[in-house]
Amino acid sequence: MGIFSSMELFDTHFHYDGEVTPAEYLAQINADLELNSGVFTTPVEKLYLLCAGGSVAGSFRAAEFAQAVENACFSAGVHPHDAAEYRRDGGDIAPLRNHAKLRAIGEIGLDYFYDLSDRQVQREVLAEFLQVALQWDLPAMLHLRDKDGVWDAYEDALALLTDFHADGGRFVIHCYAGNEAYAEKFLALDGYFGVTGMYTFKAAQNIRRVISRIPLEKLFIETDSPYLAPVPYRGRANTPGMVGRVAAALAFDRNMTPEAAAAVFTANGKNFYRIG
């Protein structure tokens, strides 16, 4: 697959809680990057980072991180868990519209697993932010989750995304944990899919099976930090420095070198988010 003298990685989705400064968090990231350097035979020269917003306040915090860190960008939006609070208390991401490092609208979506916000409110807020994505000419970054064996969140999102796609919208389903049937439906809308450390979990055979059927050029790697630390680090806080573990696991299952897989995933993310 070629010889690599150096390489790049791109964590296309992580969260920054602001409990430490951007510089301090970057130091944690670099420590984990070094800790996981053994999965590659060549050094990681550059790590791109996309800090995901999940509330109005969280979106401004993500912007703060991106502004402070080289090779970082961010997304802005309201997570379905926060949809009811957003409807009740308001807030506005409009001041972020022309930020040079804004690359997506998200994390938005539907979560019928926890139902922390009324489902109708979730749908309304998702529809609102999909319109923002169209108006701002940015891709949408979606969170979708439902109870085991139930697919209402996916079906409701599909209906909204069908119109969004018809209007020229682009989207990724981050941390995809849906089934093959919905993967095919989202692929028909030119959708993309994020793969997290969950892919490495022993019990995640269903996710590995579904992801194996999605074309390589439609996949991104992500950590969803601080959640979902990959094997062998389950149980500790995750950081973007762990994203190489996801690339290596996918590479193994695709009969690729980790370096070759990382190159594909990085190129996918940079092209989708218009970086470089």
Side-chain angles (χ1 to χ4, degrees), residues 49-87:
L49 301 165
L50 197 160
C51 188
S55 63
V56 173
S59 297
F60 282 88
R61 188 166 57 244
E64 174 192 355
F65 180 90
Q67 187 64 37
V69 175
E70 187 179 9
N71 301 318
C73 57
F74 76 101
S75 66
V78 172
H79 191 285
H81 289 347
D82 293 284
E85 180 181 353
Y86 170 72
R87 268 287 175 264

Side-chain angles (χ1 to χ4, degrees), residues 119-223:
R119 293 185 180 186
Q120 180 60 30
V121 172
Q122 290 188 49
R123 290 189 291 268
E124 291 172 357
V125 171
L126 173 56
E128 175 184 333
F129 280 97
L130 289 175
Q131 285 302 307
V132 172
L134 290 172
Q135 293 163 6
W136 294 11
D137 190 26
L138 292 169
M141 173 195 290
L142 274 80
H143 165 108
L144 295 180
R145 191 175 184 188
D146 215 322
K147 294 177 173 60
D148 291 346
V150 181
W151 303 101
D152 292 348
Y154 291 82
E155 190 64 25
D156 288 351
L158 181 67
L160 291 168
L161 290 171
T162 298
D163 291 340
F164 179 68
H165 171 70
D167 290 336
R170 300 179 297 127
F171 68 93
V172 56
I173 310 295
H174 113 90
C175 191
Y176 187 71
N179 63 13
E180 295 171 38
Y182 278 101
E184 290 176 0
K185 293 175 182 180
F186 293 131
L187 280 169
L189 301 179
D190 199 26
Y192 288 75
F193 304 82
V195 185
T196 67
M198 192 186 304
Y199 185 89
T200 70
F201 296 177
K202 183 178 180 180
Q205 297 95 332
N206 60 320
I207 291 175
R208 287 188 288 275
R209 182 181 64 252
V210 173
I211 295 300
S212 72
R213 296 175 179 267
I214 296 174
L216 201 66
E217 64 270 18
K218 289 293 187 177
L219 296 178
F220 303 149
I221 53 173
E222 56 179 80
T223 60

Side-chain angles (χ1 to χ4, degrees), residues 10-16 47-53 62 65-66 71-76 101-107 139 141 172 220 222-224 240 269 272-273 275:
F10 189 176
D11 182 356
T12 58
H13 190 117
F14 77 97
H15 299 277
Y16 168 66
L47 176 63
Y48 292 94
L49 301 165
L50 197 160
C51 188
F65 180 90
N71 301 318
C73 57
F74 76 101
S75 66
K101 289 195 165 187
L102 178 63
R103 289 293 181 273
I105 298 300
E107 178 178 356
M141 173 195 290
V172 56
F220 303 149
E222 56 179 80
T223 60
D224 200 21
F272 184 80
Y273 290 114
I275 294 171

Side-chain angles (χ1 to χ4, degrees), residues 228-240:
L228 304 176
V231 173
Y233 300 107
R234 287 197 68 182
R236 58 150 285 184
N238 201 3
T239 79

